[in-house]
């Protein structure tokens, strides 16, 4: 997968604002991504099992992301094209689906309550993906959810209910790609991804005006751009990217952006279906779906989804390395949420209700883990308490690192009582914690 923070382009003499990542983002640790759009109507992609690879020449014709359907369906002989013609018939285009998209089960208040109950502190719905279909009442194009399909401003509904649920609000926006206003052949390679896109001034203004609408109306706490930004907007001037950042930060002083703009201004780094190998000196965000696609993929089943314990471990591993987890849920086209994905969110939420103090508001310690022995992760609370997160409590016991033994004897405790440490640092895990995906021992950081 790409690391977008390395794609910063040439120095064009533009000064971008120098900003620290705001404390609210560093404290939040867990957010929910929502990929829901026109691509949810077919809701299909070539399923790919975790760890399964395909040859490079088939990477895009057999794309596992359902939100890429508008591209994949245009590749002759692709499985998506075959699916589309069997389901909708020859002659029905992807954009024709805008008139059959209905959202009768959409419950924005229910969505946001669920996300908050499951421990999320921020939410990032997709305002416009690569297909160009806008989920708000935009003046820039009639290809939107108010003029077509749902006949509703979906972003306004989600923004209102996110704030009502106490969640910070972000918007995903595809800045580099908009297939509705482009006339390129389908993307078939990584090279195509960055070359088959518009970089002209008219498109740059179009993108600027779309994001400006969202900023002016909803003051999102986070702007999550994808792929890049039109190159003609990177040299400054009217409708330039530097002007967009200035407008955004004036509207949202504690706002934050990600790293996918193609310029040197990086709010925080993103890692898609990837992690950092160790504690990072920069703030970053791991993002992935509960399955192998972000958008809902009807071809996926339990084999493609994250395991419940695996999900808890993913969160604590990410936080221990100075990161946040932005975990995606892909709603059905009608607005209902897939039960198997909801169940996993609830499982994570149940763990966070008990052990959230080991996650929220923490910072990385001097190391995130141990090189050998029972798997643990470390996070540091603001008061100097060290969380030793034991990832295999079912083992019944573990050996504490030598530099923590003295502190654990004096200050160590489990959620339900003190800890006993022998002279070798061996610790027995209480029976009531052994069935959990992770247990937390707290000690005073040495």
């Amino acid at each position: 997968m790409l690391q977008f923070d390395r794609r910063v382009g040439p120095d064009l003499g533009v000064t971008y604002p120098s900003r620290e990542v705001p404390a609210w983002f560093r404290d939040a640790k867990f957010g929910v991504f929502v990929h829901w759009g026109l691509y949810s109507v077919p809701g299909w992609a070539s399923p790919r099992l975790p760890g399964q690879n395909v040859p490079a020449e088939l990477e895009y014709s057999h794309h596992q992301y359902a939100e890429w359907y508008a591209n994949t369906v245009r590749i002759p002989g692709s499985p998506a094209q075959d699916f589309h013609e069997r389901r909708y018939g020859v002659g029905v285009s992807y954009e024709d689906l805008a008139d059959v998209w209905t959202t009768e089960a959409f419950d924005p208040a229910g969505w946001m309550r669920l996300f908050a109950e499951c421990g999320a502190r921020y939410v990032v719905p997709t305002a416009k993906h690569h297909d160009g279909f806008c989920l708000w009442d935009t003046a820039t194009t009639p290809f939107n959810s108010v003029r077509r399909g749902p006949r509703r401003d979906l972003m306004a509904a989600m923004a209102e209910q996110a704030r009502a649920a106490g969640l910070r609000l972000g918007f995903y926006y595809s800045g580099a790609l908009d297939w509705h206003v482009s006339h390129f052949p389908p993307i078939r390679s990584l090279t195509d991804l960055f070359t088959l896109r518009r970089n002209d001034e008219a498109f740059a203004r179009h993108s600027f005006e779309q994001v400006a609408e969202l900023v002016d109306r909803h003051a999102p706490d986070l702007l999550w751009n994808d792929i890049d930004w039109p190159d003609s907007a990177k040299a400054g001037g009217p409708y330039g990217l530097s002007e967009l950042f200035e407008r955004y930060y004036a509207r949202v002083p504690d706002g934050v952006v990600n790293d996918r703009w193609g310029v040197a201004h990086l709010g925080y780094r993103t890692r898609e279906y990837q992690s950092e190998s160790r504690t990072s000196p920069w703030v970053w965000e791991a993002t992935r779906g509960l399955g192998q696609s972000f958008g809902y993929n009807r071809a996926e089943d339990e084999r493609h989804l994250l395991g419940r314990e695996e999900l808890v471990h993913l969160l604590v591993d990410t936080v221990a390395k100075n990161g946040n987890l932005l975990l995606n849920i892909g709603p059905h086209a009608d607005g209902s949420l897939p039960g198997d994905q909801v169940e996993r969110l609830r499982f994570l939420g149940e763990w966070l209700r008990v052990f959230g103090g080991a996650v929220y508001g923490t910072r990385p310690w001097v190391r995130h883990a141990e090189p050998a022995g029972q798997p643990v992760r470390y996070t540091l609370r603001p008061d100097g308490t060290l969380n030793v997160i034991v990832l295999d409590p079912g083992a019944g016991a573990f050996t504490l690192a030598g530099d923590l033994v003295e502190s654990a004897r004096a200050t160590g405790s489990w959620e339900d009582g003190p800890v006993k440490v022998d002279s070798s640092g061996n610790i027995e895990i209480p029976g009531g914690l052994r069935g959990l995906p992770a247990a937390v021992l707290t000690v005073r950081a040495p």
Side-chain angles (χ1 to χ4, degrees), residues 170-193:
F171 286 135
Y172 167 102
Y173 182 82
S174 174
L177 302 178
D178 188 325
W179 298 322
H180 178 66
V181 296
S182 303
H183 304 285
F184 296 107
I187 293 169
R188 295 172 180 259
S189 68
L190 195 59
T191 298
D192 288 350
L193 177 64

Side-chain angles (χ1 to χ4, degrees), residues 41-191:
V41 176
W44 193 91
S46 298
R48 193 178 301 179
L49 291 169
Q52 179 184 358
N53 295 313
V54 300
E57 65 270 19
L58 300 180
E59 182 71 31
Y60 283 83
S61 63
H62 292 66
H63 211 302
Q64 78 272 29
Y65 288 178
E67 65 274 15
W68 271 72
Y69 187 91
N71 182 78
T72 315
V73 75
R74 294 190 297 128
I75 299 177
S78 68
Q81 186 178 77
D82 177 67
F83 170 86
H84 188 87
E85 292 187 350
R86 285 188 289 106
R87 188 172 184 86
Y88 301 108
V90 176
V92 177
S93 73
Y94 172 78
E95 295 193 354
D96 289 336
L97 302 181
D99 295 317
V100 301
W101 184 20
T102 60
T103 58
E104 62 274 12
F106 176 44
D107 177 12
W111 281 18
M112 300 305 160
R113 284 196 304 270
L114 170 70
F115 301 156
E117 289 169 1
C118 294
R121 296 293 174 87
Y122 61 106
V123 61
V124 184
T126 48
K128 186 205 77 171
H129 211 274
H130 308 328
D131 59 2
F133 191 79
C134 298
L135 272 64
W136 76 96
D137 188 12
T138 177
T140 63
T141 175
F143 195 51
N144 68 66
S145 64
V146 177
R147 300 278 292 275
R148 308 279 295 273
R151 305 288 173 176
R152 183 176 182 182
D153 189 324
L154 302 173
M155 287 298 101
M158 283 189 263
E160 178 183 8
Q161 295 304 324
R163 262 54 188 270
L167 295 169
R168 291 276 187 163
L169 173 70
F171 286 135
Y172 167 102
Y173 182 82
S174 174
L177 302 178
D178 188 325
W179 298 322
H180 178 66
V181 296
S182 303
H183 304 285
F184 296 107
I187 293 169
R188 295 172 180 259
S189 68
L190 195 59
T191 298

Side-chain angles (χ1 to χ4, degrees), residues 390-443:
V390 183
L391 301 185
D392 187 17
F398 78 106
T399 301
L400 196 64
D403 58 347
L404 296 176
V405 171
E406 183 177 343
S407 180
R409 284 178 179 161
T411 66
S413 67
W414 298 104
E415 190 71 23
D416 57 354
V419 62
K420 294 182 179 179
V421 188
D422 71 15
S423 59
S424 299
N426 296 314
I427 297 177
E428 184 176 346
I429 299 170
L433 301 178
R434 294 181 186 180
L436 298 176
V440 178
L441 170 69
T442 58
V443 304

